[in-house]
Amino acid sequence: MAGVTGGPAPHVVAVVAFDEVQLLDVTGPAEVFTTANAYGARYDVRIVSTTGADVRTSSGVRVGVDGGPESLPRRVGTVLVPGRKDWRRAIADRDLVAFAGGLADRAKRVASVCAGAFVLAESGVLDGRRTATHWQLAGELATAYPDVRVEADPVFVRDGNVVTSAGVTAGIDLALALVEEDHGPDVARDVARELVVFMARPGGQSQFSARLTPRESGHPVVRRVMDAVGADPGAPYGLDSLARDAGVSARHLTRLFRSEIGMTPGQYLESVRLEAAQALLEASSDPVEEVAGRSGFGSAETMRRTFQQTLGVSPTVYRARFRTTAVTESRGQRLS
């Protein structure tokens, strides 16, 4: 795809392509590496498939391929495995899994984007390793591959010579980090500026994900408390008052919540209040202090701490990021 000639041997980046692969999983990292060449890097990016034939991506765009397994040198600098939404179809392709696993054995560094982690997991590359994938797929990856240590929030995770990233555009974050590792922060910063992306994305995946909804409960006591909290998250609840209204002891209510939905009443209350605050920040222009009061946090500082601990961003940043896509002067940001 993007070869370099003359001088020291280039760092070969082999991007594994296959039918129904997500287009940006392939082109995002490829664009980062090839852009870095304008700033002194020496990457030779090659799109490869198991057969050497071109592939059709999930968006219907056909991607040209540079070759098959025989087109690569014996040693590869980086192998990058992108993903497809239907990861089960990907891991059912035994040639693809064997190809990715074989390349990993020949590579100095192994990386995946989004559901590409499933292909690496199927090949055994991720056994015992900390791993990231798209937040929607983290639970499925952990269930399908119990030997893989899945982390749901990070945009990308490095464990030894293996780097795995979250969904789609996170492949750009991953590639920038690899460029910085190879050539230093100045080159990575130049690439980020040219591509108009963050040098380091603020916050983790939690800010983008849907709230982790507690398990449904058929127990009448737990259901009564959940309904009451959901109807008015801003009310001044406490464990004792919730238990009293439910007609049980505080200890029994806590035990019921743990067994029924996997969290304490306090944790459930905080999750509902966080969801309420997010909705208010997205839909209104109310001051942060007022949002904190209406959603039950009591103070802006308490709400800010919860947002930082759970989502990795402040309420003000969350509102700026998710309320609108309209371009305004106040939304201008400078890259690092």
Side-chain angles (χ1 to χ4, degrees):
M1 174 185 173
V4 289
T5 58
H11 180 116
V12 174
V13 178
V15 182
V16 178
F18 47 93
D19 284 334
E20 295 301 315
V21 70
Q22 295 200 128
L23 178 63
L24 198 55
D25 284 9
V26 175
T27 58
E31 193 69 29
V32 170
F33 289 121
T34 54
T35 300
N37 287 342
Y39 298 99
R42 291 186 57 78
Y43 293 111
D44 180 2
V45 180
R46 305 190 192 183
I47 311 298
V48 292
S49 66
T50 57
T51 63
D54 294 350
V55 302
R56 185 176 293 279
T57 66
S58 59
S59 61
V61 175
R62 185 171 291 279
V63 170
V65 165
D66 295 307
E70 72 290 340
S71 68
L72 295 171
R74 188 178 64 84
R75 293 291 294 170
V76 177
T78 299
V79 57
L80 187 145
V81 182
R84 62 175 288 177
K85 292 179 180 179
D86 185 355
W87 58 265
R88 292 176 180 82
R89 293 287 295 276
I91 66 171
D93 184 339
R94 306 319 299 172
D95 290 339
L96 172 61
V97 172
F99 183 39
L103 282 179
D105 290 339
R106 296 160 53 185
K108 173 184 175 183
R109 186 168 59 196
V110 182
S112 69
V113 180
C114 197
F118 286 87
V119 176
L120 290 182
E122 182 69 16
S123 69
V125 171
L126 300 184
D127 286 354
R129 295 186 185 273
R130 297 169 54 242
T131 302
T133 189
H134 193 287
W135 61 267
Q136 289 180 317
L137 301 176
E140 295 178 41
L141 182 62
T143 300
Y145 301 97
D147 291 336
V148 177
R149 296 158 53 195
V150 181
E151 298 190 7
D153 187 53
V155 173
F156 60 86
V157 167
R158 176 158 197 158
D159 190 326
N161 71 327
V162 178
V163 193
T164 51
S165 77
V168 197
T169 60
I172 295 174
D173 300 75
L174 177 147
L176 280 170
L178 298 184
V179 169
E180 180 175 6
E181 177 182 299
D182 295 338
H183 299 284
D186 290 342
V187 172
R189 190 173 294 111
D190 287 337
V191 174
R193 284 174 172 150
E194 179 165 334
L195 298 182
V196 197
V197 296
F198 285 111
M199 173 73 165
R201 186 193 303 253
Q205 290 195 78
S206 298
Q207 62 189 302
F208 303 100
S209 66
R211 182 172 65 85
L212 294 178
T213 305
R215 297 193 299 264
E216 289 296 322
S217 172
H219 196 287
V221 170
V222 175
R223 189 70 260 165
R224 189 181 313 138
V225 172
M226 293 175 73
D227 289 345
V229 169
D232 186 10
Y237 299 109
L239 177 58
D240 290 336
S241 65
L242 288 171
R244 184 171 56 252
D245 291 343
V248 297
S249 69
R251 177 177 297 181
H252 186 53
L253 183 63
T254 298
R255 187 160 52 244
L256 284 174
F257 261 75
R258 285 190 184 279
S259 64
E260 289 289 316
I261 66 170
M263 59 176 64
T264 67
Q267 290 169 330
Y268 176 74
L269 177 59
E270 183 176 271
S271 73
V272 172
R273 286 174 168 170
L274 178 64
E275 185 179 64
Q278 289 175 277
L280 288 168
L281 289 168
E282 293 168 12
S284 75
S285 300
D286 296 339
V288 171
E289 190 72 44
E290 183 175 335
V291 170
R294 290 175 60 190
S295 56
F297 284 105
S299 72
E301 177 57 26
T302 299
M303 185 170 76
R304 186 194 67 79
R305 285 199 300 269
T306 302
F307 266 69
Q308 287 289 166
Q309 291 169 1
T310 307
L311 306 182
V313 294
S314 70
T316 301
V317 170
Y318 181 89
R319 167 178 271 168
R321 192 162 297 160
F322 291 99
R323 185 179 173 200
T324 180
T325 58
V327 177
T328 65
E329 185 175 347
S330 64
R331 295 190 76 220
Q333 299 187 53
R334 290 185 354 185
L335 295 171
S336 301

